[in-house]
Amino acid sequence: MKFLRKILFPVVPIYYLVTWLRNTLYDLGIKKSVAYDFPVLAVGNLSVGGTGKSPMVEYLITLLQEKTQLAILSRGYKRKTKGFRLVDVLSEAKDVGDEPLQFKRKFPNVYVGVDENRRNGITNLRTLHPKPDVILLDDAYQHRKVKAGLYMLLTAYYDLYCNDIVLPTGNLREPRQGANRADVIVVTKCPVRITDQEKNRLQKKLRIKSHQSLFFTTINYGKELIGVSGKRSLETFKNRTFTLVTGIANPKSLLDYYRSYGLLFTHLNFADHHEFTTPELKMLENAETIITTEKDYMRLVDTISHNNLWYQPITIQFIGDKEGFNSRIFKYVENNL
């Protein structure tokens, strides 16, 4: 795969030009974006994945759900359906996508919708009763047909967008200057003990603009796994071998954590949002114990019969100035309601 990306380097200037031209047309108003008179927040990244978007969306849901009538809108990546669908706790990942289903099952009182056409999705969500007054767009940074009121851009500490180039050789969906559209930039997956000097270095390296706010987060791994038969302490999996299944963009942080915890496992690594084949599902059914990510669990729990299937919960933790972040979000929402 790395070799293929290298030989495709001549395509990089073409991809760069096409995405740059598209953004320029939107920036100049030649291509039209639709803005709204209520709060619309967009969370996304420049890279193709691995920035910790899902736990950030869940943090925002927790932050806003008590004070607003909140709705989440996603395209429902890799679902087998088209058009607008309102996600239910009984929905299946194949119909609505794994991440939207994860959000709905964790936050059942929040509207979750999927639509590849975000304008259409917003219109449909606003017909619900009670009507949502805040809409959170999941993975919509490049969806320029909708103009969000606040853009949040995530970038992983070990894989900063400023060190990357566009597809197909790099991992960026658009040129680095696309970061200028962001109102809030969050460096995710940071070392817990990141210093103020390192934060200042990153601020200069990312060329943070005067209108932008920069924050830093790290990952918290829950000490209890959740599965079909309840909860179980991660400690109980020590001194026994299990199968770790990951279908995410970058499992490095999870692997490092489990190894540092002294866990013994066989790692089955699949592509992000991997659609498991029948032979793969049969193989997994024969595994004694399976631990996976929450996103992968949403795809597996309804497709295999396994009494020892667990997922690793994760949350984000701000490293300094959590209140500054919360205040920035609340201020935007309150000023636009």
Side-chain angles (χ1 to χ4, degrees):
M1 186 64 179
K2 289 182 178 180
F3 175 73
L4 179 60
R5 285 191 165 210
K6 288 181 178 179
I7 64 174
L8 288 174
F9 182 77
V11 181
V12 166
I14 301 172
Y15 185 95
Y16 181 101
L17 181 60
V18 169
T19 52
W20 174 85
L21 179 60
R22 174 180 180 270
N23 280 331
T24 300
L25 293 175
Y26 275 110
D27 293 340
L28 294 175
I30 297 172
K31 291 179 73 70
K32 300 299 182 183
S33 296
V34 175
Y36 297 89
D37 60 357
F38 54 87
V40 177
L41 299 82
V43 179
N45 42 43
L46 294 188
S47 67
V48 292
T51 60
K53 179 177 55 61
S54 293
M56 174 56 77
V57 170
E58 292 181 355
Y59 179 87
L60 291 170
I61 295 173
T62 302
L63 189 67
L64 295 171
Q65 66 175 343
E66 298 300 326
K67 297 188 176 185
T68 66
Q69 185 65 53
L70 181 64
I72 314 302
L73 180 61
S74 171
R75 63 172 167 161
Y77 184 61
K78 283 200 172 182
R79 64 187 172 115
K80 296 184 180 297
T81 57
K82 297 292 184 182
F84 178 78
R85 291 179 75 100
L86 192 62
V87 183
D88 185 84
V89 291
L90 298 179
S91 298
E92 295 186 16
K94 64 182 178 64
D95 295 323
V96 298
D98 47 22
E99 290 173 333
L101 184 59
Q102 174 182 324
F103 300 148
K104 184 62 181 179
R105 289 184 177 176
K106 187 170 287 185
F107 303 98
N109 295 324
V110 171
Y111 295 130
V112 180
V114 294
D115 199 326
E116 60 274 16
N117 183 329
R118 300 305 208 288
R119 292 182 189 174
N120 186 64
I122 291 173
T123 299
N124 277 279
L125 285 171
R126 292 279 286 181
T127 65
L128 301 174
H129 299 282
K131 179 163 57 176
D133 48 32
V134 177
I135 292 183
L136 177 57
L137 302 178
D138 171 39
D139 197 16
Y141 197 80
Q142 284 76 34
H143 195 91
R144 308 237 16 215
K145 290 182 179 180
V146 166
K147 182 173 176 57
L150 185 143
Y151 283 94
M152 184 180 304
L153 179 65
L154 309 184
T155 185
Y157 175 81
Y158 55 80
D159 191 20
L160 300 171
Y161 60 76
C162 58
N163 296 330
D164 206 349
I165 61 173
V166 297
L167 294 162
T169 301
N171 286 315
L172 299 187
R173 298 170 173 176
E174 60 174 297
R176 286 173 285 191
Q177 55 262 45
N180 294 339
R181 297 197 306 276
D183 302 290
V184 173
I185 296 177
V186 183
V187 181
T188 63
K189 303 184 180 182
C190 295
V192 177
R193 294 179 179 83
I194 186 172
T195 64
D196 289 340
Q197 291 84 353
E198 177 67 356
K199 289 181 180 180
N200 291 333
R201 185 187 73 84
L202 291 174
Q203 183 166 5
K204 293 177 182 177
K205 188 176 182 66
L206 293 170
R207 298 182 180 180
I208 302 301
K209 304 296 186 294
S210 60
H211 73 279
Q212 297 176 324
S213 301
L214 178 64
F215 300 94
F216 302 86
T217 66
T218 190
I219 293 177
N220 270 340
Y221 291 100
K223 297 299 183 183
E224 282 190 325
L225 303 185
I226 301 174
V228 292
S229 47
K231 296 182 179 181
R232 183 176 295 179
S233 170
L234 185 61
E235 189 73 22
T236 63
F237 291 90
K238 282 191 172 182
N239 303 318
R240 54 188 291 191
T241 301
F242 58 87
T243 300
L244 176 64
V245 178
T246 61
I248 56 178
N250 195 330
K252 180 181 182 300
S253 297
L254 179 59
L255 296 176
D256 290 345
Y257 176 71
Y258 275 12
R259 286 165 181 157
S260 69
Y261 204 72
L263 299 177
L264 303 174
F265 55 90
T266 300
H267 181 209
L268 299 181
N269 187 27
F270 298 96
D272 197 16
H273 299 277
H274 176 71
E275 184 176 343
F276 294 98
T277 64
T278 299
E280 288 167 348
L281 293 172
K282 288 182 178 179
M283 174 188 66
L284 292 176
E285 284 182 338
N286 291 326
E288 182 178 349
T289 303
I290 300 172
I291 297 178
T292 188
T293 70
E294 188 169 4
K295 183 169 69 173
D296 294 310
Y297 182 86
M298 294 300 149
R299 297 198 307 280
L300 288 173
V301 69
D302 295 326
T303 54
I304 65 172
S305 177
H306 205 296
N307 293 325
N308 220 1
L309 173 64
W310 309 87
Y311 74 81
Q312 171 66 64
I314 64 171
T315 56
I316 62 167
Q317 174 185 327
F318 280 83
I319 306 175
D321 206 20
K322 175 181 176 180
E323 293 308 313
F325 177 88
N326 293 353
S327 176
R328 180 76 191 263
I329 301 303
F330 283 137
K331 184 177 180 180
Y332 163 71
V333 170
E334 290 167 1
N335 288 345
N336 290 276
L337 279 175

